[in-house]
Amino acid sequence: QQPVQSPQAVILREGEDAVINCSSSKALYSVHWYRQKHGEAPVFLMILLKGGEQKGHDKISASFNEKKQQSSLYLTASQLSYSGTYFCGTEDRGQNFVFGPGTRLSVLP
Amino acid sequence: KAGVTQTPRYLIKTRGQQVTLSCSPISGHRSVSWYQQTPGQGLQFLFEYFSETQRNKGNFPGRFSGRQFSNSRSEMNVSTLELGDSALYLCASRVGDSGNTIYFGEGSWLTVV
C-alpha cells in the first residue's frame, strides 16, 4: 500500500526551511528518501533503518518514527538546488517496497 | 563501479508495435525493479525480479511483461503499444535484501505515435 506524503507541493524562498512527511499504514522496516529533478532519474538521499533513527547530510536530514510508521525529511536553509520532487519509499519486512506519490518542492530566489 | 545502465535511452514507436527495454544492474545486485513515470506523475511500480523470479507485480495490464536473466540483467516488454504508454521507464537495482539502497538508471524515454 502506497505511503502518504504531505504536503503535495510547497514553494519556498531561498533560505527558508521545509518539512516533508511520509506515513504508512503498514509496519515498516526501512524508509528511503529520493529527489528527482525534472527530466532526470531519482537520486538517493538517505535511508533510515531503525525506529527513531535520524540522519543528516549537509542541511538535509530525516527522522523515522517506527512506532508511528512515519518519517519526516527536513530541509534547512533551502537552496535553489533543492528544487525537485521528493519521494519517500517504504519497505516492510517482506521486502515489499513502494514509493509515495511525491512532494513537489520549488525554491525561489 | 558502473551504475545501472538502461538501453535504449530514447525511442519512438508506432501504436500497435511492441518494444523491449533493457537494464543492466549494478554488479552484485540481484533485484531489478521497473517503474513507469508519465509527465508530472509519480513512480508507478511495474514489477520486481529477484534471482530470475518475479517477486512483486504492480497493477499494469498483461501487455507489460518482464524477465530477468541469470546474470541479473533484465528486460521489459510492452506489446500492442498504446499512446498512453508514452512515458519514462526507469529501472532500479538493489542488492536484494531488506534495507538496501535502490539505485536508478537514467531511464528509457518511450514515445508512442
Side-chain angles (χ1 to χ4, degrees), chain B residues 11 28 38 40 46 51 77 81 83 97:
Chain B
L11 67 166
T38 49
L46 283 157
S51 293
N77 183 276
L81 284 165
L83 296 179
D97 300 330

Side-chain angles (χ1 to χ4, degrees), chain A residues 2 29-30 32 34 36 39-44 47 49 87 91-102 104, chain B residues 9 35 37 40-45 48 55-56 88 90 94 96-107 109:
Chain A
Q2 188 180 49
Y29 179 83
S30 67
H32 306 222
Y34 289 79
Q36 184 180 31
E40 300 178 7
V43 173
F44 170 75
I47 180 174
L49 294 174
F87 294 97
E91 181 180 35
D92 61 26
R93 293 190 177 276
Q95 299 178 357
N96 298 304
F97 188 93
V98 60
F99 281 100
R104 188 170 298 178
Chain B
R9 289 293 318 280
Y35 294 85
Q37 188 173 40
Q41 299 301 307
L43 299 160
Q44 304 300 314
F45 174 71
E48 179 191 10
R55 184 155 73 174
N56 286 302
L88 173 65
L90 290 161
R94 59 174 170 162
D97 300 330
S98 297
N100 284 286
T101 302
I102 294 174
Y103 296 92
F104 283 90
E106 293 298 312
W109 289 92

